[in-house]
Amino acid sequence: MRPAPFQYQEAGTVDEACAALAARPGQVAILAGGQSLVPELNSRRRTPAMVLGIGRIAELTTVTVEGDRLRIGATVIQRALQRSGAARAVPVLLEALDHVGHVPTRNRGTVGGSIAFADPTAELPVVLLALGGTVRARSARGTRTVPAVDLFAGPFRTVLHPDELLIAVDIPLPAAGSRWAFEQRDFRRHAKVSVVAGSDPGGGLVVAVSGVGDRPLVLPDSASAYQRGGCAAVATAAADLVTPIADRYGSVDYRRRLTRLAVTAAVERVSGDPTTTIPTREDAA
């Protein structure tokens, strides 16, 4: 199948892109890397009146450390982020990127595109959520900052308005002495559960999970659960909390089992408890 007819416009600046979005609110599809949009156009799941290319907007292609945050432009290529010296300030982000598709897809997929697409099984949204990150969105009306905890509205939906353009992703730098880990368990990449866990010297514990509901989520009271019963208690609390959807790739019970395995491995790593984990896939660049 071929895409339905549409107009194409390529923006040279953020202001040009915002003007195009304002002129046709809800009728414009934004093209960055195209890894998600092009299949949707070809299958006609999306039939926009216009496709707006933003890949040549220079200000969206930078990766910098600004104060206590890593700022990533919306059109930064995932593979470029992996190779960026600035991204080394957030090692768990680099660890998660190794699980995003394959090298060929990371050579075209963008960071902002992955966040805005809001796939409930995606790796980058759960990292953003766990670290307390934010996104910056701009429209003809101005710029606003949206915390990750408020960003995801459901499967493939965010709270961004039709006339808003995601322009940057901000990730706080991990605090000194904190430990972070990314773990993923999957069945042939279809039924996958991703977990980001972080601990600090004061006993704080953050655990975020994706692939087990309509959006990534942070587990409440993870530190209390760990104090009561260690890694097993956190894993049990996580499995009890999530509401995965069964499909041909895995039942609800199977996905809960994946959740227990991934949470246990991640929490063991950041808590210093001994564990045997499945190695990450090597980046065959």
Side-chain angles (χ1 to χ4, degrees):
M1 187 180 293
R2 296 181 179 180
F6 58 81
Q7 293 184 341
Y8 179 76
Q9 179 177 331
E10 194 163 284
T13 66
V14 170
D15 287 342
E16 285 181 16
C18 290
L21 291 171
R24 293 184 172 186
Q27 302 179 55
V28 180
I30 298 172
L31 175 66
Q35 297 299 286
S36 301
L37 177 62
V38 171
E40 289 197 326
L41 294 175
N42 286 338
S43 65
R44 300 202 178 190
R45 289 196 300 271
R46 293 192 67 180
T47 55
M50 173 186 287
V51 171
L52 177 66
I54 62 170
R56 296 190 180 183
I57 302 178
E59 65 184 279
L60 303 184
T61 63
T62 59
V63 182
T64 57
V65 174
E66 300 183 8
D68 62 350
R69 288 180 171 256
L70 176 68
R71 173 158 293 178
I72 307 166
T75 63
V76 169
I77 300 298
Q78 294 159 3
R79 187 68 176 136
L81 180 61
Q82 285 187 291
R83 292 175 166 175
S84 166
R88 295 175 188 170
V90 188
V92 70
L93 173 62
L94 297 179
E95 190 177 356
L97 278 165
D98 187 53
H99 293 263
V100 177
H102 303 280
V103 172
T105 59
R106 294 197 295 273
N107 277 333
R108 292 196 60 85
T110 63
V111 175
S114 179
I115 299 295
F117 191 56
D119 184 337
T121 70
E123 293 83 0
L124 296 185
V126 71
V127 174
L128 183 70
L129 181 65
L131 289 167
T134 61
V135 301
R136 297 177 68 225
R138 188 181 300 176
S139 69
R141 294 172 282 109
T143 304
R144 67 173 177 139
T145 299
V146 182
V149 69
D150 299 324
L151 178 63
F152 304 106
F156 309 101
R157 293 189 298 117
T158 70
V159 299
L160 298 182
H161 300 142
D163 65 339
E164 286 185 310
L165 176 67
L166 192 156
I167 60 172
V169 175
D170 288 346
I171 299 179
L173 303 183
S178 63
R179 302 178 65 176
W180 289 87
F182 179 91
E183 288 287 340
Q184 187 174 94
R185 297 294 182 268
D186 59 26
F187 175 71
R188 296 180 182 174
R189 301 187 59 80
H190 297 296
K192 66 179 179 180
V193 173
S194 301
V195 173
V196 178
S199 67
D200 60 55
L205 179 66
V206 174
V207 178
V209 185
S210 69
V212 288
D214 64 355
R215 70 198 81 181
L217 60 90
V218 173
L219 305 179
D221 302 322
S222 294
S224 298
Y226 182 79
Q227 291 171 1
R228 289 195 306 270
C231 300
V234 181
T236 298
D240 290 344
L241 177 67
V242 301
T243 53
I245 298 173
D247 59 21
R248 67 185 185 208
Y249 301 117
S251 65
V252 169
D253 287 343
Y254 178 71
R255 282 185 164 86
R256 285 201 169 114
R257 180 171 177 269
L258 291 182
T259 302
R260 289 190 185 93
L261 292 172
V263 169
T264 298
V267 175
E268 284 178 338
R269 285 177 58 192
V270 300
S271 65
D273 292 343
T275 184
T276 300
T277 61
I278 298 174
T280 59
R281 292 178 293 111
E282 291 184 358
D283 203 345

